[in-house]
């Protein structure tokens, strides 16, 4: 027994000396030691954090800005839970009487209003019951409400709408028209996650146009589906994982139609921050002529 | 408007008969004819646009439609009686057409519409289009020909309705998208509308009528990818050729006019019309007799799912025994008696068979010997199947606990208490344990037995969850199949089944399969939650589908085991047992094994 305790607390005879040596150990670490500790630690963020930035410009050739953008980011984290929440929308309006901007603006506000109303209590109160409606249903009903509003209040106009609801590490996309969402991966691959609802894309898919003809097609901006147009509207709604260590990018055709994917990746990877990346993307589109309104959202999950 | 409302002291509203983009269409009675019931259609347009100029334009458009309609005189165009504007609403009073619109006729038809019938309507439609296109001074382009705008009146003749967007054609005028996606030709999206656009929409309408494929649900301009006769082989080659020509991508390749199209249709009618086309039943039924390779009779119902291990098939029965059979020939090897029915699917670990029984116990029995190794008591009947992971066995019990039992010692390391019995089989994935309860909760707990999240369905979750990527999938008796975020339990999507489900889903590629109490086996796209196909059996489907190669296998309470091609839902074969099949099959090495409530175990060739 005595041996056991001796082993446990060390030599019995010299407790004072023991204390002294302890005091020596608590001396400040040298820079060298600190660096060694840091490099030995696998440095990870405890909390998954969503960050986002937005860039927009009317472009060089248009008088009005018919694009609308909405970005909403929130991180709620505590001992129990960590739910990054983000809502990102790009809408590109069209139609006479300046109704295009009415349509795109109404669409993003109604979408965002509906979605935040649904999620508010779950994110910021302490919910006792889980949300009864699914994320895809929330997106679908919000698109329908925006659709009906635009039909009623701005008849004849329409708008594209590409929205991403990020919750945790998944994103639920609602998409109508030819704005686009991309997953941008660290290896430089830029994967479109939406499919344009445009005449030119459809004709290309059918094989009526080859890539060259498609690029020079005179009616590139004719949509076959748009929010606010037609009796029934079927938005593409689906859920995909947020790109691992990568970016979500949503943009209007004023960006993707003007600068190449490789340039987009180069600009993003060279910029020190997301905000600068957005600014540089808009600048590049303007430098290339800025034929249309430019809108871009970049989002990233850190941690 | 409510029924009973009277407009301009003359039209008393009876009912809503349609809802359009700008307002509703009502059936109303004209009170100027007190001695007879004269019905009219009242088309209402609500004008809530804030901008005064635009509002005025809309009223003008409306009045133009009214005036244009008033000048037309054709049996297939409704007569106009009156129009007026009150406050923010404008009304058009039209001839009331007794009958149904063609879309309803198509969807209510039992099978395909007969070709003769469709040709007769097509000829009438060509007549009215020729009349409109020949309008002076400018041709009238209907622009929105589709089944829902074609009424079939009580005489069986067509009437074109909804001229809301029919515009007097002015050459070179550009417009935004007008028309209905699916029925409109490519050039209409470019703002060009010519008589040839109506020819295309007419072709699309006929295509829909004879194939039952709604073009709004298909990619635009994709008719070429689904030729009429590939879908409905009863249609003549000649009629298919007419539809095909009307649907040509390039307007120059279509019929030059509605009259030319009518001529072509008349020719087809003369050729085929005399013949009463006999309708053969279109679906091939592949119920050729399937002989089981072997059967084995137990003493009571089998409701569970078997396990195959080292050439032996292990299956529990309501005669309270667990049976070990030779998988090759069905020879009896041993049975192990418990004190309750066994629905739980056995599990094998380290040469031992683990299974649960209504006698409240988890039994562990040597696979070769059939001798007890150890047993573990819960405090309720057990319907859940055991799941092994990381040295532990997990299962739920009617004592409302999820039990975690050390696989070697047979001792509980923890129990997680819920508020209801647990029939679902836990899923272990991403270092979490997921399971449903009879109170409709889905729990995610970690390996220490601490809750990470909880999702609440409206009714019990008996279905056992599965996962793919970052989502967990299950179903509830409330009639939903749902996808939850595995990390936080948010519902990503919900798919509405016809009735509740106790079936556990299966996944292949981006498709998820599940049975439901409405008798259907469903196939749903994992990403978009859209139905890909559904297959009807003759009773509830409590069995869980199993994927093997390019087929799924699933039992039904109608007594049959079904083998369906999983991408299309096409029936490959079915095998009838003598009673309901509620358990799930296992499929291995091209063999299907399952039990039935007719007391038999069956082995079939897959």
């Amino acid at each position: 027994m005595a041996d056991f305790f001796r082993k446990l607390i060390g030599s019995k005879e010299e407790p004072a000396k023991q204390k002294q040596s302890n005091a020596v150990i608590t001396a400040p670490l040298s820079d060298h030691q600190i660096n060694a500790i840091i490099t030995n630690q696998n440095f990870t963020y405890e909390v998954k954090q969503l960050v986002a930035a937005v860039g927009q410009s009317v472009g060089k050739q248009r008088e009005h800005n018919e694009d609308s953008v909405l970005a909403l980011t929130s991180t709620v984290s505590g001992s129990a839970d960590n739910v990054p929440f983000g809502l990102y929308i790009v809408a590109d309006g069209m139609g006479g009487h300046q109704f295009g901007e009415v349509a795109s603006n109404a669409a993003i506000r109604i979408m965002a209003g509906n979605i935040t109303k649904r999620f508010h209590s779950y994110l910021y109160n302490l919910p006792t019951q889980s949300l009864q409606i699914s994320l895809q249903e929330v997106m679908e009903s919000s698109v329908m409400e925006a659709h009906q509003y635009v039909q009623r209040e701005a008849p004849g106009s329409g708008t594209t709408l590409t929205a991403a609801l990020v919750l945790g590490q998944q994103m639920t996309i609602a998409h109508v028209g030819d704005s686009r969402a991309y997953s941008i991966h660290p290896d430089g691959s830029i994967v479109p996650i939406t499919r344009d609802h445009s005449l030119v894309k459809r004709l290309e898919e059918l094989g009526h146009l080859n890539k060259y003809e498609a690029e020079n097609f005179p009616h590139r901006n004719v949509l076959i589906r748009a929010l606010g147009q037609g009796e029934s509207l079927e938005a593409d709604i689906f859920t995909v994982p947020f790109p691992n260590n990568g970016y979500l990018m949503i943009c209007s055709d004023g960006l993707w139609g003007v600068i190449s994917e490789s340039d987009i990746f180069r600009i993003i990877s060279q910029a020190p921050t997301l905000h600068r990346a957005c600014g540089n993307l808009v600048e590049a589109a303007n430098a290339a002529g800025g034929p249309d309104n430019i809108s871009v959202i970049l989002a990233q999950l850190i941690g | 408007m409510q029924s009973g409302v009277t407009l301009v002291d003359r039209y008393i509203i009876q009912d809503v008969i349609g809802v359009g983009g700008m307002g509703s269409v009502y059936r109303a009675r004209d009170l100027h004819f007190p001695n007879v019931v004269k019905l009219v259609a009242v088309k209402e347009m609500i004008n809530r646009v804030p901008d005064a100029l635009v509002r005025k334009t809309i009223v003008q458009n409306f009045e133009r439609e009214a005036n244009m309609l008033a000048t037309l005189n054709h049996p297939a165009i409704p007569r106009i009686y009156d129009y007026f504007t009150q406050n923010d609403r404008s009304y058009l009073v039209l001839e009331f057409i007794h009958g149904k619109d063609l879309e309803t006729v198509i969807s209510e038809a039992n099978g395909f519409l007969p070709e003769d019938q469709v040709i007769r309507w097509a000829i009438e439609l060509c007549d009215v289009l020729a009349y409109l296109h020949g309008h002076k001074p400018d041709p009238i382009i209907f622009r929105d020909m589709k089944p829902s705008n074609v009424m079939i009146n009580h005489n069986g003749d067509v009437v074109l309705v909804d001229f809301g967007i029919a515009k007097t054609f002015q050459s070179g005028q550009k417009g935004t998208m007008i028309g209905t996606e699916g029925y409109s030709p490519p050039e209409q999206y470019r703002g060009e509308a010519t008589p040839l656009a109506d020819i295309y929409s007419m072709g699309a309408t006929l295509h829909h009528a004879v194939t039952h494929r709604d073009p709004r649900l298909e990619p635009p301009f994709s008719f070429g990818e689904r030729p009429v006769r590939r879908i409905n082989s009863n249609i003549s080659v000649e009629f298919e050729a007419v539809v095909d020509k009307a649907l040509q991508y390039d307007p120059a390749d279509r019929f030059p006019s509605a009259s030319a199209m009518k001529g072509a249709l008349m020719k087809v009618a003369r050729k085929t019309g005399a013949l009463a086309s006999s309708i053969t039943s279109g679906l091939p039924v592949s119920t050729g007799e399937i002989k089981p390779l072997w059967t084995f009779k137990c003493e009571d119902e089998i409701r569970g799912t078997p396990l195959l291990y080292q050439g032996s098939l292990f299956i529990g029965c309501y005669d309270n025994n667990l049976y070990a059979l030779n998988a090759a020939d069905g020879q009896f090897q041993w049975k192990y008696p418990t004190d309750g029915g066994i629905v739980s699917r056995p599990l094998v670990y380290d040469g031992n068979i683990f299974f649960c029984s209504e006698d409240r116990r988890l039994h562990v029995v040597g696979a070769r010997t059939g001798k007890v190794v150890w047993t573990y008591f819960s405090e309720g009947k057990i319907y859940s199947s055991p799941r092994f992971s990381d040295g532990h066995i997990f299962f739920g019990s009617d004592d409302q606990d999820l039990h975690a039992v050390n696989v070697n010692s047979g001792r509980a390391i923890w129990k997680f208490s819920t508020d209801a019995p647990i029939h679902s089989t836990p899923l272990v994935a991403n270092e979490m344990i997921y399971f449903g309860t009879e109170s409709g909760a889905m729990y995610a707990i970690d390996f220490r037995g601490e809750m990470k999240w909880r999702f609440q369905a409206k009714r019990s979750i008996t279905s056992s969850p599965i996962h793919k990527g970052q989502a967990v999938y299950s179903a509830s008796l409330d009639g939903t199949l749902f996808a939850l975020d595995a990390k936080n339990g948010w519902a990503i999507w919900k798919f509405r089944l016809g009735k509740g489900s106790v079936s556990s889903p299966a996944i292949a590629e981006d498709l998820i399969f599940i049975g439901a109490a409405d008798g259907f086996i469903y196939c749903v796209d994992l990403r978009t939650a859209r139905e890909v196909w559904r297959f009807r059996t003759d009773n509830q489907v409590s069995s869980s589908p199993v994927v093997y190669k390019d087929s799924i296998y699933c039992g039904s309470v109608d007594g049959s085991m079904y083998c369906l091609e999983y991408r299309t839902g096409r029936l490959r074969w079915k095998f009838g047992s003598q009673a309901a099949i509620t358990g799930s099959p296992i499929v291995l090495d091209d063999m299907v094994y399952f039990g039935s409530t007719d007391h038999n175990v069956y082995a079939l060739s897959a």
Side-chain angles (χ1 to χ4, degrees):
Chain A
M1 196 60 145
D3 276 353
F4 173 73
F5 275 111
R6 208 164 290 134
K7 251 184 218 160
L8 197 69
I9 57 169
S11 168
K12 252 184 182 175
E13 291 99 60
E14 300 173 302
K17 201 174 177 186
Q18 185 86 32
K19 259 183 197 159
Q20 241 175 8
S21 61
N22 274 346
V24 174
I25 289 163
T26 57
L29 296 170
S30 68
D31 282 353
H32 181 71
Q33 282 171 308
I34 290 171
N35 280 334
I37 290 167
I38 288 174
T39 48
N40 283 332
Q41 268 175 343
N42 205 351
F43 230 34
T44 53
Y45 290 83
E46 283 288 310
V47 175
K48 282 269 180 200
Q49 267 195 84
L50 191 60
V51 289
V54 172
Q56 195 176 46
S57 162
V58 68
K60 296 282 188 205
Q61 296 171 31
R62 299 284 176 101
E63 283 179 23
H64 295 286
N65 183 13
E66 297 192 321
D67 279 7
S68 295
V69 181
L70 185 138
L72 196 64
T73 307
S74 116
T75 300
V76 183
S77 182
S79 61
D81 220 358
N82 164 216
V83 186
F85 172 91
L87 178 63
Y88 308 105
I89 314 177
V90 166
D92 175 358
M94 61 194 186
H97 313 288
Q98 292 172 30
F99 268 16
E101 58 197 67
V102 176
S104 67
N105 220 274
I108 61 161
R109 283 166 200 269
I110 287 169
M111 275 295 280
N114 240 317
I115 291 166
T116 48
K117 208 160 48 195
R118 291 274 187 195
F119 283 94
H120 187 270
S121 70
Y122 295 94
L123 287 169
Y124 310 120
N125 297 343
L126 289 170
T128 49
Q129 224 197 345
S130 53
L131 194 68
Q132 279 304 317
I133 179 170
S134 74
L135 305 183
Q136 292 192 359
E137 287 167 315
V138 170
M139 292 298 258
E140 188 157 17
S141 63
S142 304
V143 170
M144 277 322 290
E145 190 163 318
H147 174 60
Q148 283 156 4
Y149 181 91
V150 171
Q151 273 193 325
R152 206 166 58 233
E153 301 296 330
S157 74
T159 179
T160 74
L161 181 120
T162 301
L165 171 65
V166 180
L167 199 65
Q169 288 169 55
Q170 310 241 47
M171 46 189 191
T172 299
I173 310 284
H175 168 73
V176 187
D178 71 348
S179 298
R180 289 183 182 175
Y182 291 90
S183 277
I184 302 180
H185 299 281
D187 65 355
S189 61
I190 300 193
V191 184
I193 48 184
T194 50
R195 225 183 65 191
D196 297 349
H197 298 141
S198 64
L199 184 67
V200 61
K201 184 77 188 166
R202 181 68 196 134
L203 296 178
E204 207 181 333
E205 282 168 4
L206 286 174
H208 291 305
L209 300 177
N210 62 30
K211 210 171 160 62
Y212 174 78
E213 288 170 327
E215 274 164 18
N216 298 292
F217 189 66
H219 308 287
R220 283 189 61 84
N221 48 11
V222 174
L223 300 182
I224 56 178
R225 242 189 261 180
L227 196 136
Q229 301 250 329
E231 281 171 37
S232 59
L233 177 74
E234 199 186 321
D236 291 345
I237 293 174
F238 52 88
T239 306
V240 289
F242 197 94
N244 212 356
N245 297 319
Y247 307 88
L248 162 71
M249 179 173 86
I250 307 179
C251 61
S252 60
D253 58 350
L255 183 74
W256 67 255
V258 179
I259 48 179
S260 70
E261 290 185 353
S262 56
D263 284 342
I264 290 175
F265 184 77
R266 187 181 43 76
I267 291 167
I268 292 172
S269 54
Q270 285 175 358
T273 64
L274 282 186
H275 297 84
R276 287 279 291 278
C278 287
N280 293 349
L281 285 171
V282 168
E283 209 170 276
N286 272 329
D292 202 349
N293 306 146
I294 307 154
S295 297
V296 60
I297 301 176
L298 277 174
Q300 190 182 16
L301 257 182
I302 306 174
Chain B
M1 275 190 296
Q2 296 288 319
S3 56
V5 170
T6 307
L7 290 172
V8 288
D9 284 335
R10 176 166 181 181
Y11 305 105
I12 180 161
I13 300 298
Q14 294 185 330
D15 209 353
V16 180
I17 53 176
V19 180
M22 305 300 258
S24 303
V25 184
Y26 302 89
R27 185 186 65 224
R29 187 179 162 188
D30 186 347
L31 299 175
H32 276 200
F33 299 84
N35 299 323
V36 290
V37 177
K38 182 182 156 70
L39 294 178
V40 293
V42 175
K43 185 178 173 188
E44 175 189 50
M45 237 176 59
I46 306 174
N47 199 344
R48 283 215 196 91
V49 180
D51 187 298
L53 189 70
V54 183
R55 200 162 57 231
K56 208 172 130 202
T57 316
I58 289 173
V59 173
Q60 283 167 353
N61 283 348
F62 170 77
E63 288 176 355
R64 191 188 57 206
E65 176 188 357
N67 282 322
M68 184 196 77
L69 266 174
T71 65
L72 303 180
N73 181 18
H74 190 276
I77 297 171
R79 274 178 294 160
I80 174 166
Y81 298 131
D82 197 0
Y83 67 84
F84 51 93
T85 297
Q86 277 188 334
N87 304 326
D88 62 344
R89 285 154 202 242
S90 301
Y91 297 92
L92 186 66
V93 183
L94 302 145
E95 180 184 0
F96 179 77
I97 312 293
H98 293 268
K100 283 179 184 168
D101 68 74
L102 182 56
E103 185 166 315
T104 310
V105 171
I106 293 169
S107 63
E108 286 178 354
N110 203 359
F112 293 116
L113 296 174
E115 175 176 326
D116 288 359
Q117 179 71 79
V118 177
I119 289 187
R120 217 167 50 239
W121 289 334
I123 290 169
E124 291 179 4
L125 285 172
C126 284
D127 266 337
V128 62
L129 282 186
Y131 172 81
L132 291 172
H133 295 166
H135 186 262
K136 297 286 181 239
D138 294 312
I140 294 167
I141 312 301
F142 186 63
R143 281 193 177 217
D144 204 12
M145 171 75 81
K146 57 179 172 180
S148 63
N149 280 344
V150 175
M151 292 289 293
I152 307 296
N153 70 14
H154 57 296
N155 292 329
D157 294 320
V158 303
V159 179
L160 270 189
V161 294
D162 199 359
F163 278 71
I165 58 165
K167 264 191 175 177
T168 312
F169 177 61
Q170 289 152 320
S171 201
Q173 183 183 329
K174 293 279 182 200
T176 46
M177 304 190 313
I178 284 174
T180 300
E181 186 182 343
Y183 299 100
S184 303
E187 70 272 17
Q188 199 158 320
Y189 291 102
R190 299 196 288 262
E192 297 166 17
T194 65
L196 296 176
D198 280 348
I199 301 273
Y200 182 96
S201 305
M202 170 89 172
T205 301
L206 297 179
H207 190 282
H208 184 177
V210 295
T211 63
H212 282 199
R213 293 283 200 91
D214 188 333
R216 285 166 297 189
L217 305 177
E218 309 280 346
F221 328 127
S222 61
F223 294 102
E225 296 160 22
R226 42 180 204 287
V228 166
R229 278 167 46 80
R230 197 190 293 164
I231 299 164
N232 179 359
S233 55
N234 295 321
I235 295 299
S236 66
V237 181
E238 292 83 358
F239 185 55
E240 182 186 54
V242 172
V243 174
D244 201 39
K245 187 166 166 124
L247 284 171
Q248 283 302 303
Y249 175 77
D250 188 341
D253 295 337
R254 295 176 204 148
F255 293 104
S257 67
S259 325
M261 184 167 172
K262 181 186 168 183
L265 285 165
M266 296 291 280
K267 232 169 154 178
V268 178
R270 273 196 294 275
K271 209 163 176 180
T272 63
L275 306 166
S277 50
S278 61
I279 299 161
T280 53
S281 86
L283 284 173
V285 189
S286 45
T287 47
E289 267 312 298
I290 292 172
K291 274 253 182 280
L293 281 117
W294 56 259
T295 62
F296 177 87
K297 196 165 179 72
C298 303
E299 285 160 39
D300 206 331
E301 297 180 351
I302 301 171
R303 299 187 204 160
T305 302
L307 161 76
L308 189 67
Y309 172 64
Q310 292 194 343
S312 293
L313 192 75
F314 301 90
I315 190 162
C317 176
Y318 266 74
D319 64 13
N320 298 0
N321 289 298
L322 182 87
Y323 288 85
L325 309 173
N326 185 331
D329 54 14
Q331 283 295 314
F332 172 83
Q333 291 176 324
W334 52 258
K335 63 181 178 183
Y336 178 86
T338 71
D339 295 326
I342 305 168
V343 67
S344 155
R345 183 183 55 229
L347 164 93
V348 64
Y349 174 73
D350 201 16
N352 294 325
I353 305 296
F354 294 69
F355 64 97
C356 303
S357 160
E358 283 185 348
D359 69 7
R360 306 177 166 208
R361 280 180 284 178
L362 165 69
H363 296 265
V364 185
V365 177
R368 297 222 165 277
T369 60
K371 297 278 187 285
V372 60
V373 179
W374 50 263
T375 56
Y376 168 90
F377 275 84
S378 80
E379 286 166 39
K381 292 181 176 179
I382 310 177
Y383 299 97
S384 165
S385 304
R387 182 82 72 179
F388 173 80
S389 180
D390 298 86
H392 293 89
I393 300 287
F394 302 94
F395 62 91
S397 160
D398 275 10
D399 65 13
Q400 312 192 348
D401 286 349
L402 186 89
H403 297 255
V405 177
N406 184 294
V407 75
N408 296 314
S409 69
R411 292 213 191 108
I413 54 155
W414 50 257
K415 295 178 208 172
F416 178 84
S417 294
T418 72
D419 58 355
I422 302 166
H423 292 175
S424 109
T425 297
L427 161 74
V428 182
N430 313 322
E431 302 190 339
M432 299 255 263
I433 302 153
Y434 306 92
F435 62 95
T437 74
E438 294 305 292
S439 63
M442 170 74 75
Y443 286 93
I445 58 182
D446 65 15
F447 277 157
R448 289 169 308 194
E450 276 172 27
M451 183 170 94
K452 295 311 255 185
W453 53 258
R454 181 190 145 127
F455 164 83
Q456 187 65 44
K458 292 197 183 73
R459 293 185 60 194
S460 59
I461 300 177
T462 307
S463 166
S464 307
I466 55 167
H467 85 116
K468 183 178 181 187
Q470 296 176 13
V472 171
Y473 303 88
S474 189
S476 160
L477 269 182
D478 68 12
T480 53
L481 167 69
F482 50 83
L484 307 180
D485 190 316
K487 288 244 163 61
N488 51 39
W490 288 94
I492 295 167
W493 53 253
K494 291 183 182 182
F495 176 83
R496 191 135 283 285
L497 305 162
K499 275 187 176 171
S501 174
V502 295
S503 166
S504 305
I507 291 176
E509 296 170 27
D510 276 338
L511 304 173
I512 184 164
F513 311 93
I514 194 164
D518 60 3
F520 284 100
I521 299 166
Y522 291 85
C523 172
V524 174
D525 186 299
L526 270 189
R527 258 171 33 121
T528 61
R530 297 207 188 274
E531 179 176 313
V532 178
W533 53 258
R534 63 168 83 182
F535 179 87
R536 184 201 292 274
T537 75
D538 295 327
N539 209 325
Q540 304 186 1
V541 182
S542 315
S543 170
S544 305
V546 171
V547 177
Y548 181 73
K549 294 187 177 167
D550 56 353
S551 297
I552 62 157
Y553 299 82
C554 189
S556 165
V557 172
D558 69 13
S560 289
M561 177 58 61
Y562 291 87
C563 172
L564 311 175
E565 194 177 275
Y566 79 59
R567 287 187 191 84
T568 59
R570 200 172 58 85
L571 179 69
R572 287 219 155 111
W573 54 258
K574 67 175 184 176
F575 170 82
S577 76
Q578 305 303 311
I581 300 175
T582 57
S584 306
I586 54 164
V587 193
L588 219 68
D589 295 332
D590 293 330
M591 293 282 288
V592 188
Y593 306 91
F594 60 93
S596 162
T597 55
D598 69 5
H599 305 188
N600 282 305
V601 182
Y602 293 91
L604 309 178
S605 165

